[in-house]
Amino acid sequence: MDIITQLQEQLSEIAMVAVNTFGTLQRDAPPDRLSSSYPDPLNPNPKPEEDAKPQVPAQPGAAPAQVQPPPAPPQPPALDLAEHPKAMSHALVLAAKRFDALVAALPLSSEEDQLKRIQELQAENEIVGLELQKQLEAAELELKQVEVLFNEATDNGINLKKPD
Amino acid sequence: MATSAYPPPPPYYRLYKDYEQDPSSAPEPPPPIDGNYKVFGVEREINEVLPSLESRQLYPKGPNIDFKKQLRTLNRELQLHILELADILVERPSQYARRVEDISLIFQNLNHLLKSLRPHQARATLIHMLESQIQRRKQAIEDIKQRREEAQKLLGESLLVLDGSQTN
């Protein structure tokens, strides 16, 4: 793939990683405590209360900022909450670095340089084309001469052959 | 304009029935189009230019844009804005819209820069094609010269052989 397409693909990858990061964090974020008058949703009380989990709307990105290790809930969510942002931000920075590397690999030159080079190449192409044509014509001429000589030689050969 | 879901192929193939026997009986290929043309109901021009970003352009305008520097600067800005968005979502989640708009603006600028590099790429491709054509032609010239020399040598040798056998 040419480098500009690679750059464009890398750009979409950065966008995708960013969007996935925020989406995953928002989806997996645990509910946040609104105020001390409400019971803590992360800390379920000994006496079960059905209405004790105030769901805060759109509380994303708070997962990495919150340091409330839930005592009872199972282990995997706690690990995910810490690992996910790290892994995803790692991916984001990696994608951005790759973009920079691709930018550094761009073979850029000014427009005048390119146009000058094109004109030079066109002139050289003309010259080489003329030379090629000359050689071709000379070679075809020689081929015809050789054919004529060959025909003569074979005719003489046939004429000189002693009839049996 | 026929708009069926699976249109049949165009009926021009019938005109080429006798192409094997008589290549001139079939019509010539159509000439290149000049001016505007229609594709799938959309009208386009032949020399399409990239529409400019106008007021939404973040990088400085001017005749010579340092593409690499601008691309790198915009990349850094993008990262900063993503970080800002994360912060905003933590502290003031309801104000995400402005940040998201900024990020999409940066993406638009980046894509515009990349698209404006395409003419440069086209010229570079042209240069490459000319170079390879010159290379091929030079190679052909060398080949022809070599063959001619070989043929001359063979002729000379055969002449010697004939002369030798004649004087015998």
Side-chain angles (χ1 to χ4, degrees), chain A residues 5-23:
Chain A
T5 315
Q6 275 182 319
L7 273 165
Q8 287 175 322
E9 296 272 315
Q10 195 59 32
L11 206 58
S12 347
E13 190 180 324
I14 294 182
M16 197 174 68
V17 169
V19 159
N20 283 346
T21 310
F22 288 119

Side-chain angles (χ1 to χ4, degrees), chain B residues 25-157:
Chain B
S25 70
E28 287 283 315
I33 301 182
D34 204 9
N36 301 355
Y37 60 95
K38 253 189 166 171
V39 177
F40 294 130
V42 176
E43 174 147 347
R44 294 166 203 231
E45 316 171 355
I46 47 172
N47 281 330
E48 237 178 290
V49 282
L50 185 62
S52 87
L53 279 176
E54 288 171 31
S55 60
R56 302 182 316 247
Q57 184 164 332
L58 291 173
Y59 54 91
K61 251 193 271 237
N64 291 338
I65 307 179
D66 185 358
F67 285 101
K68 293 198 190 187
K69 195 176 87 168
Q70 294 301 331
L71 280 170
R72 268 195 272 265
T73 318
L74 279 175
N75 189 21
R76 215 143 293 150
E77 289 273 329
L78 178 67
Q79 303 290 309
L80 280 174
H81 274 80
I82 292 181
L83 219 58
E84 262 186 51
L85 178 62
D87 274 333
I88 280 273
L89 285 173
V90 170
E91 289 165 23
R92 294 180 286 262
S94 52
Q95 296 182 6
Y96 67 93
R98 167 83 194 281
R99 293 275 159 262
V100 168
E101 261 178 43
D102 285 343
I103 290 184
S104 79
L105 183 65
I106 295 191
F107 269 119
Q108 278 178 12
N109 273 277
L110 275 165
N111 272 314
H112 191 269
L113 266 178
L114 287 177
K115 283 179 204 168
S116 54
L117 275 176
R118 288 288 185 190
H120 180 279
Q121 183 192 15
R123 282 189 289 264
T125 314
L126 181 62
I127 289 178
H128 190 256
M129 276 168 50
L130 279 172
E131 281 172 0
S132 67
Q133 188 178 34
I134 289 180
Q135 177 67 25
R136 277 200 314 265
R137 285 187 179 183
K138 283 193 176 150
Q139 186 66 35
I141 290 179
E142 289 303 308
D143 279 341
I144 294 183
K145 273 196 191 150
Q146 197 188 1
R147 300 280 186 209
R148 277 175 69 196
E149 276 173 28
E150 274 180 35
Q152 295 277 8
K153 212 169 56 168
L154 276 176
L155 275 176
E157 280 175 18

Side-chain angles (χ1 to χ4, degrees), chain A residues 40-115:
Chain A
D40 189 357
L42 290 170
N43 213 344
N45 306 356
K47 39 183 192 321
E49 294 173 24
E50 281 90 312
D51 56 346
K53 313 241 182 218
Q55 299 295 326
V56 177
Q59 187 49 255
Q66 278 179 340
V67 190
Q68 297 183 18
Q75 279 300 358
L79 278 180
D80 277 354
L81 288 178
E83 297 275 315
H84 260 0
K86 260 198 227 145
M88 289 190 286
S89 46
H90 183 67
L92 186 65
V93 171
L94 216 67
K97 278 215 173 115
R98 235 177 262 146
F99 186 80
D100 273 336
L102 282 172
V103 165
L106 267 177
L108 273 190
S109 59
S110 78
E111 184 175 339
E112 303 101 38
D113 283 345
Q114 278 187 317
L115 289 173

